[in-house]
Amino acid sequence: MARDYPLEKIRNIGFIAHIDAGKTTITERILFYTGVLHQMGEVHEGAATMDWMAQEKERGITITSAATTCYWKNHRINIIDTPGHVDFTVEVERSLRVLDGAVVIFCGVAGVEPQSETVWHQADKYNIPRLAFINKLDRIGADFYYSVESVKTKLAPNSTPIQIPIINDENFIGVINLINEKAYIFDKDDLGIEFTKCDLDEDKRISEKLKNLADKYRTELIEKVADFDENLMKKYLDEKEITSEDIIPAVRKATLDCKIIPILCGSALKNKSVQLLIDAIINFLPSPKDIKAFDALIPNSDKVRKIIADDSEPFSALAFKIQVDSYVGKLTYLRVYSGKIKKGEHILNVNNGKKERITRIMQMHANKPSNKLELYSGEICAVAGLHNTSSGDSIVELNNPILLERIRFAEPVMSIAIEPKTSTDEENLKKSLLRLLDEDPTYCLRNDKETGQTLISGMGELHLEILVDRLKRGFKTELNVGKPRVTYKETIINSAKGEGKFIQKIGNHGQFGVVKLQIEPYSENLEKSEAKIIFENQASEEKIPKQFISAVKAGVLESAEAGILTGNNVENLKVIIIDGEYNEVDSTELAFKIAGSRAFGNALQKAEVILLEPIMKIDIRTQEEYLGNIINDLNGRRGKVLEVKEKDSIKVINGNVPLSETFGYSTDLRSFSQGRASYSMEFLKYDKIPDSISKKLIEKMRGY
């Protein structure tokens, strides 16, 4: 069976944005206009196709990324609709890791919002070409030009409009396409299926002022793009007529190279300008063939192999998402980078070395699968049969092992204690947790050694609330749930040395290992790696043979899981192995692991250890009359106000606040603003807790 569309006709794109910017609504419209849906569902009615989970329908938000496929003008578009809430940022991270392009949605009233910045920087990390779409221009207070400036100043100075809105009697009625100088007016039907396309002089609702504005922005577009296209530059300097045939390939090239960000506009809810967005996706975002070859590591060597999107190459794919389906079982979402594979063939999971068999290949439409017989390079599909595969694993042809770059996930900042109500629930809870943790790697599970409780950590209150709700309803598990609590960390602020020994004699053989090490504060480059502790070995081979160094590291990492102040993880430090002793007969990896653990614990006892807490970036929007009360309250929560701006008589407060001080904040904010203020938060960093608060917190956590 041959592939249905050639590589150059495929687009793998995602919609990313701040919560409530309109991602799912836009996806719903695209599916309608491309013929996948015969009726549009609304998010606020719980009827959107891509929000298929019960929790999504009830809350009117996207919780898990959902994939679908549609077809437009002889192109196949694979879409991933991602969540906008900061608690589910893992879904954005792993989606962007495998996508070729993205559409960043902005609210036309608010412009750039906190989570807009987060997802933008995530796209920057993977160097993803993108379009910007200013949505909700039908709303009161919408300002396209304000939104454009906020994108330019906060995110991308190289962004430039390729459309501007047509406003008539304060109503958004259509757009002017700056590339072909045509107006698109959506006045023929409420569904936006039919619209009027005309020259700017043909419609009296387009004023001279707007025509001049269009001319200004078109010139700006040409000047920006001409910097990256010699033919366009020559025409511009020679003052020759520049047509859409000149501009489109130049804009495409500059967009693919991430040199410019084209900005479009519309109103998804009112069915205006969505078809033009689909055209732009095809015209300006990359196909898998446009993605440059990249290096993949060959395991157990320093060699790399170039990976290109080609069906004749060896099969390679990244497992980027796991989903547990009540009917199909465990689904593994794959992005195929090279080669092809058929249903029933065996593959190799390079990360764990296990051989598995693909029993089913499915094209997903949200949670509805349709079967395929073969999977080709450049495609995104789900497969069944990979029981030993996790998010981020490399899936390849049996005899061609390579390692693709793994997905790095954010750390949890909040935890809750849960326990089953009955012995039946206990067994069910264990199975259910493992399935849910497989789906979402930002959940962490551990047992509190002192209380015996099961602790679940996540990205925030909503994240944990969803987990508990799914356990109760989806897996029919009755639980007792504790109050959410903050996940703290420990670190050091000075250097210290420690020594650890493990010496036992049993008959003629025993265990022997001695480790001396030094610990010191270290934070440089830790954000770029998965490691939170950096190691350096200065011990000679005569003191500690190389084969035991990994055991020492394992012992240190195990010891660092429980700090001396509160039992939280110890991070942001460097461990230098400086000396040791070994015995040719009795030294073992176990002995050096235990010695390394003891040496680290000994050094911690001598160092000055401090407690770190998660700090959140907070964005509050309020009427001026409540500004004073909100700032005073924020200060009382140990928060810092960094900036107060004004947008259409609304005050926007940007600041930082410790996560521990935000429990119940939504209720308090509603109370002293009469329900008129709103806020959003996202994780910023871990920072030192003031000494007075740290002392009380340590005493409380130790149970004094």
Side-chain angles (χ1 to χ4, degrees):
M1 180 180 174
R3 63 158 65 241
D4 54 356
Y5 280 78
L7 272 172
E8 60 270 18
K9 298 290 186 180
I10 293 176
R11 301 290 182 270
N12 293 316
I13 62 111
F15 293 115
I16 59 175
H18 187 88
I19 190 170
D20 200 34
K23 298 178 300 300
T24 303
T25 302
I26 287 175
T27 306
E28 197 77 8
R29 268 53 181 176
I30 288 177
L31 294 178
F32 175 74
Y33 293 127
T34 56
V36 176
L37 299 179
H38 299 295
Q39 183 176 350
M40 291 180 278
E42 302 297 350
V43 174
H44 57 272
E45 295 173 356
T49 305
M50 304 301 280
D51 286 347
W52 58 270
M53 291 174 59
Q55 292 81 1
E56 293 176 316
K57 293 179 182 295
E58 290 170 359
R59 290 169 172 79
I61 62 170
T62 301
I63 292 170
T64 183
S65 57
T68 190
T69 298
C70 60
Y71 303 89
W72 183 256
K73 295 184 178 177
N74 202 31
H75 284 71
R76 172 177 163 180
I77 306 174
N78 298 318
I79 298 172
I80 297 183
D81 177 31
T82 67
H85 197 286
V86 65
D87 281 15
F88 309 106
T89 188
V90 60
E91 297 289 343
V92 182
E93 185 76 20
R94 60 184 171 190
S95 298
L96 287 173
R97 169 65 181 83
V98 299
L99 291 170
D100 300 327
V103 179
V104 191
I105 315 297
F106 299 93
C107 172
V109 178
V112 174
E113 298 174 271
Q115 187 67 2
S116 308
E117 297 184 52
T118 300
V119 298
W120 189 275
H121 297 317
Q122 285 175 301
D124 280 340
K125 181 165 68 174
Y126 295 111
N127 202 34
I128 291 180
R130 70 211 79 153
L131 305 174
F133 185 80
I134 311 296
N135 192 28
K136 301 191 176 185
L137 292 182
D138 58 294
R139 289 181 54 182
I140 296 173
D143 187 335
F144 171 77
Y145 302 101
Y146 163 81
S147 298
V148 167
E149 284 307 307
S150 69
V151 172
K152 284 185 175 182
T153 55
K154 293 183 178 181
L155 301 176
N158 61 336
S159 55
T160 183
I162 60 173
Q163 297 173 353
I164 62 172
I166 302 172
I167 308 295
N168 183 61
D169 291 335
E170 299 185 355
N171 292 317
F172 171 63
I173 62 170
V175 301
I176 294 175
N177 184 328
L178 301 176
I179 294 175
N180 63 9
E181 297 180 283
K182 299 289 184 182
Y184 296 79
I185 300 174
F186 294 82
D187 57 355
K188 290 195 172 182
D189 63 68
D190 291 338
L191 294 177
I193 298 172
E194 299 291 333
F195 51 86
T196 301
K197 177 183 176 182
C198 62
D199 292 330
L200 304 190
D201 292 328
E202 290 182 38
D203 197 299
K204 294 180 180 178
R205 290 171 290 186
I206 302 174
S207 65
E208 285 300 319
K209 182 180 178 181
L210 187 56
K211 292 175 191 174
N212 292 335
L213 201 57
D215 188 56
K216 172 197 165 189
Y217 275 103
R218 187 174 194 266
T219 302
E220 178 185 303
L221 170 64
I222 292 170
E223 288 175 348
K224 281 198 173 185
V225 177
D227 287 338
F228 313 108
D229 188 281
E230 291 183 8
N231 293 330
L232 191 62
M233 176 65 80
K234 190 173 186 307
K235 271 197 167 187
Y236 177 67
L237 293 177
D238 292 343
E239 298 184 356
K240 292 183 178 179
E241 181 186 359
I242 296 175
T243 66
S244 58
E245 286 75 18
D246 299 316
I247 300 174
I248 289 176
V251 171
R252 176 176 176 77
K253 183 178 183 300
T255 304
L256 297 188
D257 292 338
C258 296
K259 300 296 186 183
I260 69 160
I261 310 291
I263 301 177
L264 300 89
C265 59
S267 168
L269 187 64
K270 299 299 183 182
N271 311 314
K272 295 175 181 177
S273 198
V274 177
Q275 297 99 316
L276 306 183
L277 173 60
I278 312 175
D279 288 338
I281 289 169
I282 289 172
N283 288 335
F284 306 124
L285 290 183
S287 73
K289 208 166 184 177
D290 294 312
I291 304 304
K292 296 176 182 176
F294 62 91
D295 292 335
L297 291 173
I298 297 176
N300 304 316
S301 76
D302 296 328
K303 297 179 181 178
V304 297
R305 182 181 298 155
K306 290 286 183 186
I307 304 298
I308 58 171
D310 190 323
D311 295 343
S312 63
E313 290 286 308
F315 177 77
S316 67
L318 186 74
F320 68 95
K321 177 181 170 68
I322 304 296
Q323 182 179 311
V324 180
D325 186 275
S326 55
Y327 299 104
V328 181
K330 181 178 177 178
L331 295 180
T332 304
Y333 283 76
L334 299 180
R335 163 63 198 265
V336 183
Y337 286 100
S338 64
K340 58 185 178 180
I341 197 164
K342 293 179 180 178
K343 170 189 169 184
E345 290 187 345
H346 287 86
I347 55 88
L348 174 69
N349 183 324
V350 186
N351 296 84
N352 59 27
K354 292 188 176 179
K355 175 182 171 183
E356 299 199 79
R357 180 173 173 267
I358 293 177
T359 58
R360 189 176 173 188
I361 300 174
M362 290 154 283
Q363 189 74 57
M364 299 301 294
H365 177 51
N367 64 329
K368 297 181 178 66
S370 58
N371 292 326
K372 288 169 61 77
L373 296 176
E374 202 159 0
L375 190 51
Y376 296 90
S377 58
E379 293 191 330
I380 294 175
C381 281
V383 301
L386 307 187
H387 303 296
N388 298 302
T389 296
S390 303
S391 291
D393 286 354
S394 299
I395 307 301
V396 303
E397 197 173 284
L398 287 177
N399 299 318
N400 285 281
I402 55 160
L403 275 170
L404 302 171
E405 182 185 354
R406 287 189 71 89
I407 307 168
R408 295 191 177 98
F409 300 114
E411 291 186 56
V413 296
M414 188 176 289
S415 61
I416 54 171
I418 60 173
E419 58 184 28
K421 286 188 176 181
T422 67
S423 56
T424 305
D425 290 322
E426 183 174 3
E427 189 61 33
N428 195 25
L429 177 62
K430 289 178 183 177
K431 294 179 182 177
S432 304
L433 277 174
L434 290 175
R435 291 172 69 181
L436 289 177
L437 295 175
D438 206 10
E439 287 190 18
D440 189 343
T442 55
Y443 285 124
C444 288
L445 173 65
R446 70 183 178 93
N447 291 316
D448 191 312
K449 295 177 182 178
E450 295 182 6
T451 65
Q453 291 177 309
T454 298
L455 296 179
I456 302 291
S457 300
M459 302 305 298
E461 286 184 89
L462 180 59
H463 195 212
L464 293 170
E465 181 186 321
I466 295 297
L467 173 71
V468 170
D469 190 47
R470 291 190 67 190
L471 286 170
K472 288 180 175 179
R473 288 201 292 177
F475 295 94
K476 304 293 187 289
T477 305
E478 291 300 317
L479 300 170
N480 293 319
V481 183
K483 291 182 179 179
R485 52 188 181 184
V486 173
T487 299
Y488 296 96
K489 295 186 185 300
E490 299 181 22
T491 194
I492 59 173
I493 57 174
N494 65 344
S495 299
K497 293 181 179 179
E499 181 178 5
K501 299 179 180 180
F502 185 65
I503 303 172
Q504 284 186 348
K505 196 71 176 175
I506 306 171
N508 294 328
H509 295 286
Q511 300 280 358
F512 186 95
V514 177
V515 175
K516 295 179 183 179
L517 51 78
Q518 177 174 308
I519 58 175
E520 54 189 48
Y522 189 85
S523 58
E524 184 182 354
N525 295 329
L526 285 175
E527 292 301 319
K528 298 178 182 177
S529 101
E530 294 181 359
K532 295 302 178 184
I533 296 178
I534 298 296
F535 287 92
E536 182 181 326
N537 178 30
Q538 294 181 358
S540 66
E541 182 93 17
E542 291 76 23
K543 295 292 186 178
I544 305 178
K546 283 185 178 179
Q547 66 263 32
F548 296 128
I549 295 298
S550 59
V552 174
K553 292 179 180 179
V556 169
L557 293 174
E558 188 175 285
S559 181
E561 291 178 0
I564 61 175
L565 295 181
T566 59
N568 284 286
N569 284 2
V570 183
E571 295 184 357
N572 292 4
L573 51 85
K574 184 175 185 179
V575 175
I576 305 170
I577 304 168
I578 54 177
D579 203 359
E581 294 178 41
Y582 93 106
N583 181 297
E584 288 185 0
V585 177
D586 294 336
S587 286
T588 64
E589 288 190 359
L590 176 62
F592 273 101
K593 180 180 178 182
I594 295 173
S597 176
R598 290 177 175 177
F600 182 74
N602 180 243
L604 272 185
Q605 294 288 345
K606 298 175 183 177
E608 186 174 351
V609 184
I610 61 169
L611 204 58
L612 304 175
E613 65 179 339
I615 304 297
M616 310 300 286
K617 184 165 71 171
I618 191 167
D619 178 275
I620 308 168
R621 294 167 184 266
T622 180
Q623 282 73 21
E624 185 168 8
E625 58 196 283
Y626 309 115
L627 184 65
N629 288 338
I630 289 173
I631 290 177
N632 289 336
D633 177 75
L634 198 61
N635 290 333
R637 296 173 186 266
R638 297 192 287 122
K640 293 180 181 178
V641 176
L642 302 177
E643 184 182 33
V644 179
K645 299 179 294 184
E646 186 166 348
K647 168 70 172 69
D648 294 335
S649 76
I650 298 294
K651 296 291 183 179
V652 181
I653 305 166
N654 300 126
N656 302 333
V657 63
L659 176 62
S660 60
E661 303 287 348
T662 64
F663 291 109
Y665 185 63
S666 57
T667 302
D668 293 340
L669 184 64
R670 281 196 300 268
S671 175
F672 50 69
S673 70
Q674 298 180 21
R676 298 174 69 191
S678 62
Y679 80 102
S680 61
M681 284 195 313
E682 62 177 302
F683 172 73
L684 178 64
K685 62 179 179 178
Y686 271 90
D687 207 355
K688 181 184 176 183
I689 302 177
D691 292 338
S692 58
I693 296 173
S694 177
K695 185 178 179 181
K696 292 178 182 177
L697 188 60
I698 292 168
E699 289 176 352
K700 181 180 178 182
M701 295 178 76
R702 285 178 172 176
Y704 293 164

